[in-house]
Amino acid sequence: MCPLCDGEAASGDPILVILGPPGSGKTTVGSLISQRIGRPLVEADDLVETIAGESFEHMVIHGRVDADDLRERASLEALGTAGSVVTLGPSSPMNPRVFTRLEDLRDAGRAIIHLTAGIAEVARRTGLNAPRSVGLGAPRAVLTQMMRQAEAVYGRVSILSVDTRGISPEEVAEGIVSACKLAEVCQSPRNEEEYGNNK
């Protein structure tokens, strides 16, 4: 069980942070939880695009030298959004400053959730199982290595890991809300005053 998210977050703390590899369901589950508890969803990768004027993927493909700095900035900005549900990019927790912020949030009682789906399922969801030219290399092998590195970091900072294989996003979202007692927290009078009612 998650520790109770007791509504006593320091100013600027999100209520919930969702980590996970590509295809693990972060956006879908985050959106469902956001709707369920009446709190805004803040996606760090969307903030990158807002700040930079282009997607992180586009920046990487075109060799933009400040791409990692912009992703760090966006991640820290997302993690400073009071009362929100936050999703981070797959590699963001491996950034030292982002990791430290996540540790601080976890130690303050915030819910840091790690979604996982296994390499075969992630590859299927992201289309890496489709036939492709040998000249494109081995993207599944790259993803596998990235997931191993990232999930070791997720495990060090998260309070709950949820395997999303074989269950619906709705079931995942409801399980997280129930385990972390988020519905009770977000209905408390103190939280309504601190964060405002976004329902």
Side-chain angles (χ1 to χ4, degrees), residues 1 8 27 37 42 54 57 72 91 94 100-101 107 116 120-121 127 131 147 152 154 157 168 171 185-186 188 192 197:
M1 294 290 284
E8 300 294 331
T27 294
I37 66 175
V42 179
E54 58 182 328
E57 290 75 13
E72 176 190 277
S91 64
M94 292 186 283
T100 296
R101 174 65 174 147
D107 293 346
T116 185
E121 182 64 12
M147 281 181 60
Y154 303 157
V157 76
S168 71
E171 290 174 303
V185 171
C186 293
S188 71
E192 295 293 345
N197 187 352

Side-chain angles (χ1 to χ4, degrees), residues 61 65-66 69 82 88 90 131 144 147 153 157 181-182 194:
I61 290 170
V65 295
D66 61 345
D69 290 340
L88 292 185
T144 300
M147 281 181 60
V153 174
V157 76
K181 302 185 182 354
L182 292 174
E194 181 177 358

Side-chain angles (χ1 to χ4, degrees), residues 122-136:
V122 166
R124 185 189 68 79
R125 293 178 185 178
T126 57
L128 291 182
N129 282 343
R132 62 190 65 240
S133 168
V134 175
L136 294 176

Side-chain angles (χ1 to χ4, degrees), residues 20-24 26 90-91 94 114-124 126 128 139-155 165:
S24 59
K26 297 185 298 296
S91 64
M94 292 186 283
H114 164 212
L115 300 185
T116 185
I119 183 60
E121 182 64 12
V122 166
R124 185 189 68 79
T126 57
L128 291 182
R140 179 165 171 163
V142 172
L143 176 62
T144 300
Q145 182 178 8
M146 183 278 287
M147 281 181 60
R148 286 174 179 164
Q149 293 171 342
E151 292 198 341
V153 174
Y154 303 157
R165 288 173 290 189

Side-chain angles (χ1 to χ4, degrees), residues 13-142:
D13 282 3
I15 285 179
L16 175 74
V17 182
I18 303 176
L19 315 176
S24 59
K26 297 185 298 296
T27 294
T28 301
V29 172
S31 180
L32 289 167
I33 292 174
S34 170
Q35 295 170 28
R36 170 72 173 80
I37 66 175
R39 298 298 176 189
L41 175 66
V42 179
E43 298 203 83
D45 281 355
D46 287 348
L47 290 180
V48 173
E49 186 167 350
T50 299
I51 293 168
E54 58 182 328
S55 70
F56 183 76
E57 290 75 13
H58 187 271
M59 287 189 286
V60 171
I61 290 170
H62 292 276
R64 184 161 168 171
V65 295
D66 61 345
D68 288 338
D69 290 340
L70 287 167
R71 177 169 252 186
E72 176 190 277
R73 176 182 165 190
S75 297
L76 293 172
E77 184 175 322
L79 293 173
T81 307
S84 62
V85 175
V86 171
T87 68
L88 292 185
S91 64
S92 292
M94 292 186 283
N95 175 287
R97 291 185 65 199
V98 174
F99 182 80
T100 296
R101 174 65 174 147
L102 289 169
E103 284 188 311
D104 290 343
L105 289 170
R106 179 201 60 201
D107 293 346
R110 301 301 89 195
I112 313 294
I113 308 298
H114 164 212
L115 300 185
T116 185
I119 183 60
E121 182 64 12
V122 166
R124 185 189 68 79
R125 293 178 185 178
T126 57
L128 291 182
N129 282 343
R132 62 190 65 240
S133 168
V134 175
L136 294 176
R140 179 165 171 163
V142 172

